[in-house]
């Protein structure tokens, strides 16, 4: 009952205060999410059209992003590591039903996205999935099992297709490259790929 009341209150706040807020007011939305128990790091970008089922089950690391029209169905825990982006129309689904039981009870499992992960547009991520640091999931993929760190994965079901590697295109920032063994700095794309 308490959970239903909390969700009802959150839905009202999302509808009246969160969803109508201007796109640039990420600080305001971070405040609202924290008010409802979310752990939200500095510089995180929760976009106004991102649907978040239960903020108290959400953790967003520093400079992470839930982009336009993301459906964060966080019946169970959802964790985004630092500098991780979930792009538009993706679906983070932590709950399903046990179809082997006639009563079809609700079953849940957490989703964990490591640091520097990019979940590109319109991706489905199933309950219980962990995506390792630095991995990229390409557009419209469906992820039903864990993805190892620093891989590019694609398809339905998503499978690793190649390692992720950084190349220097002359775009530099002050952030050190997280890629294992790489020296130097990352491109400014880290600051832009949430848009």
């Amino acid at each position: 009952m308490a959970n239903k009341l909390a969700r009802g209150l959150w839905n009202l706040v999302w509808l009246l205060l969160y969803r109508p807020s201007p796109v640039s007011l990420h600080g305001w939305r971070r405040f609202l999410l924290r008010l409802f128990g979310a752990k939200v790091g500095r510089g995180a970008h929760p976009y106004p059209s991102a649907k978040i089922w239960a903020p108290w089950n959400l953790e967003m690391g520093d400079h992470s992003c839930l982009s336009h029209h993301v459906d964060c169905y966080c019946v169970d825990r959802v964790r985004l590591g630092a500098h991780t982006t979930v792009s538009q129309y993706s679906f983070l689904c932590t709950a399903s039903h046990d179809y082997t039981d006639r009563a079809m009870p609700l079953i849940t499992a957490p989703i964990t996205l490591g640091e520097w992960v990019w979940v590109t547009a319109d991706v489905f991520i199933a309950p219980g999935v962990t995506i390792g640091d630095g991995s990229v999931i390409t557009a419209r993929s469906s992820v039903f099992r864990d993805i190892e760190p620093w891989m590019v994965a694609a398809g339905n079901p998503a499978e690793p297709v190649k390692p992720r590697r950084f190349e220097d295109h002359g775009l530099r920032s002050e952030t050190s490259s997280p890629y294992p063994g790489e020296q130097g700095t990352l491109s400014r794309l880290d600051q832009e790929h949430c848009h």
Side-chain angles (χ1 to χ4, degrees):
M1 178 62 75
N3 188 57
K4 286 184 179 180
L5 290 173
R7 283 193 292 112
L9 182 57
W10 164 246
N11 287 338
L12 188 64
V13 168
W14 184 86
L15 184 65
L16 299 178
L17 300 175
Y18 186 103
R19 180 64 181 91
S21 61
V23 170
S24 61
L25 293 187
H26 297 295
W28 168 245
R29 291 184 295 276
R30 288 193 297 266
F31 167 75
L32 292 175
L33 288 170
R34 289 169 181 148
L35 195 63
F36 279 82
K39 296 178 181 176
V40 183
R42 59 188 169 84
H45 283 57
Y47 275 73
S49 58
K51 293 177 64 177
I52 298 158
W53 195 81
W56 47 93
N57 285 336
L58 175 64
E59 181 178 346
M60 296 182 70
D62 293 347
H63 307 290
S64 61
C65 172
L66 288 173
S67 192
H68 303 282
H69 302 286
V70 168
D71 192 343
C72 183
Y73 187 46
C74 47
V75 181
D76 208 317
R77 300 291 300 176
V78 169
R79 180 187 177 276
L80 280 66
H83 302 278
T84 284
T85 290
V86 181
S87 290
Q88 59 270 22
Y89 297 103
S90 290
F91 185 16
L92 308 179
C93 182
T94 64
S96 186
H97 293 272
D98 182 0
Y99 58 82
T100 66
D101 186 325
R102 290 182 189 275
M104 292 188 65
L106 183 72
I107 53 175
T108 72
I111 289 172
T112 302
L113 310 180
E115 297 185 352
W116 303 96
V117 170
W118 183 17
V119 175
T120 66
D122 205 16
V123 168
F124 174 84
I125 300 182
V129 165
T130 294
I131 297 178
D133 290 351
S135 288
V136 175
I137 312 299
T138 64
R140 297 199 165 181
S141 296
S142 295
V143 187
F144 296 99
R145 66 181 183 85
D146 294 353
I147 302 295
E148 294 295 317
W150 300 102
M151 296 300 297
V152 177
N156 184 1
E159 297 289 344
V161 294
K162 62 182 179 179
R164 180 187 184 186
R165 300 196 182 280
F166 291 109
E167 297 179 11
D168 180 7
H169 296 286
L171 304 175
R172 293 188 175 271
S173 73
E174 296 179 358
T175 306
S176 297
S177 171
Y179 187 76
E182 290 280 332
Q183 300 297 319
T185 57
L186 270 182
S187 78
R188 68 169 178 261
L189 294 176
D190 173 60
Q191 302 165 25
E192 299 173 352
H193 71 301
C194 192
H195 304 296

